[in-house]
């Protein structure tokens, strides 16, 4: 067993601080990765503050981080997909049972035995898994992704969660030419949703509570921007959307968006606010509309997304920070002041 420097939270109200965590010795199937960049997802904040306790209680100390890119420093004897020196990524999943129907359908995220990158049951060391706010990680090669060589690494890290979480539902709901698509919330997930929906050829409309983001929304690929607090601006889009992707991290009125869907339209929630959102059945009845959820994506689809990004030159817009600024970044994320993903330069942990 090795030790690694990390940033952890000791409790739900405790700021993240320097810590030392165990990392397992490399087994036959493992890849050891020196972490170069790790994105900051709003899920990290929800978990650190135990906001999802009704679904999964946070175990402390908690080391978040599931948007990992790094360089392979060691491989186990049976590893065939990766070599020492390769640039690789790790997202939200580090293990699954490989045998259930979901795994056989390449949807490991829905495996009953799926192990998340942090706050999941660690089958090797006991306790819970520790994420990417750390200098290194050891992961089964089946959950290690290839990173396209032509992309900026800091901008690649957020693809491992924000990227796949938006790519997957946009593909599933066949977003493309001739479709009018809404993206609600222009944060980490939302800005990737805009880039993908545009790249897939749809007409893209951003809904934001931050009108000052309008110019950025257009630059990122939106055709139109709507201030979601302006009832008249919202009403102009009534019954007109094929698909809406809702990325909002906090309490908000989903019925306002269901009203904008056209016949058989779908609203997919990827945002995971702490409290349940009331859905009006009447909003759904008139137009046979549906509301769905979507959870990250499987490993094969995550690789497909990374390859798509390589071909189309797509990365996240990142504000790179040293790890010492992580607590401040959380506060800014809560104020919707993120343009459009914080990404930790893990070199800052070396001398911490
Ligand atoms: P983020 O960067 O903080 O973005 C969230 C955006 O939502 C904000 O930038 C803001 O956009 C909008 N927003 C925030 N508070 C709001 C409010 N009270 N009312 C209306 N809009 C509000 O967060 P993120 O990392 O993109 O994550 C978004 C959510 O997705 C989180 O709940 C996260 O846990 C969840 N998530 C789910 C999955 C999955 O697999 N389903 C994966 C990753 C993350 P504007 O300023 O434009 O209004
Ligand atoms: Zn995430």
């Amino acid at each position: 067993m090795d030790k690694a420097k990390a940033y952890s939270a000791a409790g739900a109200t405790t700021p993240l601080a320097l810590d030392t965590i165990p990392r397992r010795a490399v087994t036959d199937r493992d890849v050891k990765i020196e972490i170069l960049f790790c994105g900051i997802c709003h899920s990290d904040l929800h978990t650190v503050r135990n906001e999802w306790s009704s679904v999964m209680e946070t175990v402390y100390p908690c080391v978040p981080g599931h948007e990992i890119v790094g360089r392979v420093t060691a491989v186990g004897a049976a590893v065939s997909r990766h070599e020492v020196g390769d640039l690789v990524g790790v997202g939200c999943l580090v293990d699954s049972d490989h045998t259930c129907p979901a795994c056989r359908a390449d949807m490991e995220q829905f495996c009953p035995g799926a192990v998340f990158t942090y706050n999941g049951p660690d089958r090797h060391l006991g306790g819970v898994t520790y994420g990417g706010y750390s200098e290194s990680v050891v992961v089964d090669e089946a959950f290690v992704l290839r990173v396209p060589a032509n992309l900026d690494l800091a901008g690649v890290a957020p693809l491992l969660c924000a990227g796949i979480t938006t790519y997957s539902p946009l593909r599933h709901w066949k977003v493309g030419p001739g479709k009018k698509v809404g993206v609600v919330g222009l944060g980490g997930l939302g800005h990737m949703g805009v880039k993908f929906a545009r790249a897939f050829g749809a007409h893209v409309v951003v809904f934001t509570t931050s009108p000052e983001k309008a110019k950025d929304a257009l630059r990122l690929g939106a055709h139109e921007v709507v201030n979601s607090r302006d009832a008249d601006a919202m009403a102009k889009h009534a019954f007109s959307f094929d698909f809406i992707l809702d990325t909002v991290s906090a309490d908000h009125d989903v019925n306002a968006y269901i009203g904008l869907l056209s016949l058989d339209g779908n609203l997919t929630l990827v945002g995971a606010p702490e409290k349940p959102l009331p859905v009006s059945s009447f909003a759904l009845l008139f137009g046979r509309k549906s509301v769905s959820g979507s959870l990250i994506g499987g490993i094969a689809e995550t690789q497909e997304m990374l390859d798509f990004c390589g071909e189309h030159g797509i990365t996240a817009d990142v504000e790179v920070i040293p790890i010492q600024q992580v607590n401040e970044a959380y506060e800014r994320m809560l104020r919707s002041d993120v343009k459009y993903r914080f990404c930790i330069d893990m070199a800052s942990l070396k001398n911490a």
Side-chain angles (χ1 to χ4, degrees):
M1 195 176 72
D2 290 329
K3 289 197 180 313
K5 279 193 214 172
Y7 257 52
S8 75
T13 56
T14 320
L16 291 141
L18 186 62
D19 197 357
T20 303
I21 54 166
R23 289 297 192 195
R24 68 175 182 262
V26 173
T27 72
D28 276 1
R29 291 166 39 169
D30 281 338
V31 172
K32 181 159 190 167
I33 301 162
E34 177 198 7
I35 300 175
L36 299 174
F37 292 98
C38 185
I40 296 181
C41 178
H42 208 113
S43 304
D44 301 352
L45 188 156
H46 289 306
T47 306
V48 159
R49 301 191 178 178
N50 204 14
E51 291 174 354
W52 290 342
S53 59
S54 60
V55 185
M56 43 190 150
E57 195 77 35
T58 303
V59 177
Y60 297 96
C62 173
V63 178
H66 57 204
E67 295 185 336
I68 298 169
V69 293
R71 196 175 289 284
V72 175
T73 55
V75 292
V79 167
S80 59
R81 300 185 199 183
H82 307 285
E83 289 177 17
V84 170
D86 285 356
L87 287 171
V88 293
V90 177
C92 303
L93 293 166
V94 288
D95 207 356
S96 69
D97 69 16
H98 298 285
T99 56
C100 74
C103 284
R104 288 203 304 270
D106 285 331
M107 289 187 283
E108 298 87 354
Q109 74 272 34
F110 302 125
C111 170
V115 177
F116 292 106
T117 304
Y118 58 82
N119 202 45
D122 188 325
R123 298 211 179 101
H124 298 263
L125 297 179
V128 291
T129 50
Y130 295 129
Y133 296 9
S134 166
E135 56 186 351
S136 65
V137 65
V138 179
V139 182
D140 183 316
E141 70 159 335
F143 293 85
V144 177
L145 287 307
R146 294 183 307 278
V147 166
N150 58 321
L151 300 178
D152 168 62
L153 279 188
V156 167
L159 301 178
L160 276 306
C161 175
I164 185 60
T165 301
T166 49
Y167 181 95
S168 183
L170 290 169
R171 283 291 196 218
H172 178 79
W173 289 95
K174 301 193 171 29
V175 161
K179 295 283 169 81
K180 184 175 175 186
V181 172
V183 176
V184 187
L186 197 65
L189 265 55
H191 95 290
M192 289 311 307
V194 171
K195 290 190 186 204
F196 286 132
R198 179 71 188 240
F200 297 167
H203 182 85
V204 185
V205 181
V206 164
F207 294 95
T208 182
T209 59
S210 311
E212 71 280 3
K213 291 181 184 172
K215 212 171 140 197
D216 283 346
L218 298 173
R219 174 180 58 78
L220 292 163
H223 296 91
E224 298 177 63
V225 187
V226 176
N227 175 351
S228 53
R229 292 194 168 127
D230 178 342
D232 292 339
M234 291 287 281
K236 285 192 185 125
H237 290 271
F239 292 102
S240 67
F241 281 86
D242 297 289
F243 179 75
I244 296 179
L245 186 68
D246 185 332
T247 76
V248 175
S249 51
D251 203 15
H252 64 291
D253 179 17
V254 282
N255 300 304
Y257 297 100
I258 297 170
L260 305 188
L261 293 171
S262 56
L263 178 63
D264 286 326
N266 172 269
L267 178 137
T268 289
L269 294 165
V270 285
E274 183 176 0
K275 298 199 183 78
L277 299 164
V279 172
S280 153
S281 55
F282 282 103
L284 295 172
L285 300 181
F286 289 93
R288 198 167 50 191
K289 301 168 183 180
S290 61
V291 173
S292 316
S294 190
L295 180 73
I296 46 172
I299 295 300
E301 192 176 35
T302 305
Q303 189 64 60
E304 175 192 308
M305 178 274 310
L306 286 168
D307 295 345
F308 181 89
C309 288
E311 277 161 37
H312 293 83
I314 294 174
T315 52
D317 284 32
V318 287
E319 180 174 339
V320 177
I321 58 162
I323 199 159
Q324 292 78 4
Q325 285 175 18
V326 68
N327 295 302
E328 194 185 322
Y330 276 25
E331 293 308 317
R332 284 184 53 195
M333 189 159 61
L334 275 180
R335 295 197 298 270
S336 301
D337 176 23
V338 43
K339 300 209 169 45
Y340 279 87
R341 195 57 139 186
F342 289 111
C343 186
I344 305 167
D345 181 351
M346 218 46 77
S348 59
L349 189 55
K350 284 207 160 55
N351 303 315

